[in-house]
Amino acid sequence: LVRMEVNGSKITKKASYKIRYNGADTSVSAISVESKTDSKINFLFKKGKTVYRGSIGLNATSGTINLTKVCTLDVKSVNINGKTTDLSSFTHQGMGYHKGKLYVPLWAGSSKQNQSVIAVYNINSNTSGTITSDPNLSFRITSGSFNFFEIESCDISSSDGRLYFNTNRSSSCDGLLAFKNYAVKV
């Protein structure tokens, strides 16, 4: 894991960390800050359907983040607009975390290239086992403008609650976008 600082058009490497699970180096597909204290930063990590926790000193410029397993995400029974949907064939993407909710983009893949879902899970310090999505918060996003529309990751703005996401699209117009008129309570 590498921490970068962006200042205008200048990007500077500030720190790098090893990520380990059960004593072995591992890779992850998503990371989000869960919380900070005066001395450390606590992260949620995701690899496929599995969610982990790890932390590092707030000002550490190197070190190891040891992961502990939190839970497994159930993607076979995601409630979208009142209908239970099996998303096990969808590709797992990144994630965003905001106030006890984990936002997980899933992409339909080559069969429906313009379709993504953001599955929303409730997560807290006691979460364990396999968890199902919140029955009222997951939603499908389909682009009528682009025949290839893949949401890679998302996050919630802490200032206004807007849902931002980055996407690959079928033209050179990949982007970092926000949903109009969609916000969670901040």
Side-chain angles (χ1 to χ4, degrees):
L1 176 66
V2 177
R3 186 177 78 203
M4 309 296 283
E5 179 180 83
V6 179
N7 185 357
S9 62
K10 184 179 178 184
I11 300 174
T12 307
K13 178 181 171 183
K14 300 303 272 185
S16 61
Y17 315 102
K18 288 184 180 184
I19 300 173
R20 302 194 86 179
Y21 179 65
N22 284 339
D25 291 347
T26 191
S27 61
V28 294
S29 58
I31 180 174
S32 192
V33 173
E34 183 177 25
S35 64
K36 289 182 191 178
T37 68
D38 290 339
S39 60
K40 71 178 179 176
I41 185 165
N42 302 301
F43 296 102
L44 289 171
F45 295 86
K46 187 171 80 66
K47 183 175 188 174
K49 298 183 290 185
T50 307
V51 178
Y52 304 89
R53 278 195 174 91
S55 62
I56 194 82
L58 187 61
N59 298 313
T61 57
S62 64
T64 300
I65 300 173
N66 292 301
L67 303 182
T68 56
K69 183 178 175 181
V70 174
C71 62
T72 302
L73 304 174
D74 173 13
V75 294
K76 289 186 177 186
S77 55
V78 177
N79 190 325
I80 303 169
N81 298 330
K83 180 182 175 191
T84 300
T85 307
D86 183 350
L87 303 178
S88 57
S89 66
F90 281 46
T91 301
H92 286 264
Q93 304 290 51
M95 69 176 180
Y97 173 81
H98 182 75
K99 294 188 176 182
K101 305 255 185 258
L102 195 63
Y103 297 79
V104 180
L106 300 157
W107 178 55
S110 58
S111 64
K112 296 180 179 178
Q113 293 185 20
N114 66 338
Q115 189 177 116
S116 292
V117 167
I118 295 185
V120 182
Y121 297 85
N122 296 308
I123 191 166
N124 60 48
S125 60
N126 298 318
T127 300
S128 64
T130 299
I131 62 172
T132 57
S133 64
D134 186 296
N136 301 308
L137 298 177
S138 300
F139 55 96
R140 183 180 318 275
I141 302 115
T142 304
S143 174
S145 300
F146 298 95
N147 61 1
F148 182 86
F149 183 81
E150 175 188 11
I151 293 181
E152 292 282 338
S153 196
C154 64
D155 209 356
I156 306 297
S157 167
S158 59
S159 63
D160 64 7
R162 290 185 74 187
L163 175 65
Y164 287 86
F165 63 97
N166 64 303
T167 181
N168 293 328
R169 298 185 287 187
S170 58
S171 69
S172 61
C173 299
D174 295 342
L176 177 60
L177 309 165
F179 286 108
K180 208 175 203 180
N181 302 321
Y182 178 94
V184 299
K185 293 180 180 180
V186 291

